[in-house]
Amino acid sequence: QRQSRKPMHGRASATVQLLEPRQMLAGSVLVSLNGSQLSITGDGEANTVEITALDNQVFVRGLQNTTINGGTSNFVLATGSATFDGSVSADLGAGDDTLLLSRNVQVSGSVFVAGGVGNDNVGSTGSTIQGGLACLGGAGNDRVSLQDSNLGTILWAQTQQGNYLVSLEDVTINGRI
């Protein structure tokens, strides 16, 4: 005996749910302040972080979809001033990372940046670091670019693996390179 197939007389119900558009986050950076020591720690993704002065405040913010402490809010370092009274230590981690100092921000101490695996960039435009700037490169093609900026004591860069570029334009360094 043959079995016959019965045609489906009902309509198959398809459920379509529209998703809201979301922006994918690049990565997350942990920022903390212990006394006058600012610490910035990157994850394994590409991150872009800016320390800047705007509207009489100094803050750290994530650019290009980088989050700060898992969110999109700025991390405020000082209000009523363009000066952060302290030092900065940044461990960028893996990924192609960028750390910028901009908009006439002033750091009363030193800035130390440790690059990780990846092509990292450290930049300063219009900032003053009253201490020195020390950059420890990691694996990758790293760049240090300073423009219209002032360093109080020293510019120090130690390269490791990869190709490095150091660019200085209208920079005053009151110490050694």
Side-chain angles (χ1 to χ4, degrees):
Q1 199 177 21
R2 287 178 55 179
Q3 290 188 7
S4 65
R5 290 189 176 168
K6 293 184 180 179
M8 289 189 70
H9 293 285
R11 214 173 148 179
S13 173
T15 303
V16 176
Q17 181 178 3
L18 295 177
L19 300 176
E20 63 186 64
R22 296 220 177 194
Q23 202 168 31
M24 294 301 291
L25 300 175
S28 187
V29 172
L30 298 176
V31 177
S32 64
L33 186 61
N34 186 3
S36 62
Q37 180 65 45
L38 173 66
S39 295
I40 300 171
T41 305
D43 61 8
E45 302 297 321
N47 296 298
T48 301
V49 178
E50 180 182 38
I51 301 172
T52 190
L54 187 62
D55 296 330
N56 216 23
Q57 279 190 330
V58 177
F59 53 88
V60 180
R61 67 180 173 179
L63 301 176
Q64 298 179 355
N65 302 321
T66 298
T67 63
I68 301 296
N69 296 335
T72 57
S73 297
N74 297 333
F75 188 94
V76 177
L77 299 173
T79 57
S81 173
T83 301
F84 167 59
D85 289 321
S87 294
V88 177
S89 176
D91 183 357
L92 300 178
D96 298 338
D97 301 308
T98 300
L99 177 67
L100 303 169
L101 288 93
S102 67
R103 290 193 181 98
N104 297 318
V105 69
Q106 296 181 30
V107 176
S108 68
S110 296
V111 175
F112 173 78
V113 182
V117 177
N119 301 322
D120 299 321
N121 298 297
V122 177
S124 172
T125 303
S127 71
T128 298
I129 302 171
Q130 293 175 355
L133 172 62
C135 299
L136 174 62
N141 302 321
D142 299 334
R143 292 187 294 172
V144 177
S145 177
L146 308 177
Q147 182 178 358
D148 299 321
S149 298
N150 299 299
L151 298 177
T153 61
I154 189 171
L155 170 60
W156 178 80
Q158 179 177 346
T159 61
Q160 291 186 19
Q161 298 173 358
N163 297 311
Y164 287 80
L165 173 67
V166 176
S167 171
L168 306 174
E169 184 178 331
D170 295 325
V171 175
T172 300
I173 301 172
N174 294 316
R176 300 179 303 146
I177 297 176

